[in-house]
């Protein structure tokens, strides 16, 4: 069933099939529809590795993007939550 808030349904579905969250899939699909896939993909991959971050750094990043339950998460749980966001 098409969602009117999703501008590139095909990209959205591809990301969801690969395990991306609904929010992440919508964000990428809408950006690619507005700016073009080439421009969006060129901008990706600039963030550091979560493996190299401390738990406090992961917590701060999770807080910034609004991940619920972050205060009780371990480092590995924070990493997973950030990757799945």
């Amino acid at each position: 069933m098409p969602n009117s808030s999703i501008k590139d349904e095909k990209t959205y579905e591809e990301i969801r099939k690969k395990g991306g969250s609904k929010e992440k899939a919508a964000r990428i699909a809408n950006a690619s529809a507005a700016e073009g896939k080439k421009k969006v993909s060129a901008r990706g991959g600039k963030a550091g590795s979560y493996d190299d971050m401390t738990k406090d750094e992961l917590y701060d990043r999770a807080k910034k993007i609004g991940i619920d339950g972050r205060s009780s998460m371990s480092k590995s749980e924070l990493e997973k939550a950030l990757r799945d966001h």
Side-chain angles (χ1 to χ4, degrees):
M1 170 181 266
N3 183 336
S4 62
S5 66
I6 305 299
K7 306 304 179 212
D8 184 348
E9 197 70 39
K10 183 179 176 187
T11 299
Y12 175 85
E13 291 301 327
E14 287 173 7
I15 295 167
R16 290 292 291 147
K17 285 178 186 175
K18 292 179 182 175
S21 69
K22 290 179 182 178
E23 182 179 342
K24 179 179 180 180
R27 188 172 58 241
I28 293 170
N30 289 342
S32 69
E35 302 172 44
K37 288 183 182 184
K38 202 171 207 176
K39 187 173 183 180
V40 172
S41 65
R43 151 174 100 218
K46 296 178 183 170
S49 172
Y50 292 139
D51 297 330
D52 297 334
M53 293 183 176
T54 66
K55 182 179 177 184
D56 289 337
E57 290 169 326
L58 293 169
Y59 176 86
D60 290 341
R61 185 164 290 197
K63 183 177 181 181
K64 183 178 178 182
I65 61 175
I67 293 177
D68 293 330
R70 63 188 174 272
S71 62
S72 62
M73 290 183 183
S74 67
K75 182 179 179 192
S76 62
E77 290 170 327
L78 285 166
E79 289 174 8
K80 182 175 179 353
L82 287 165
R83 284 189 177 107
D84 292 345
H85 179 67

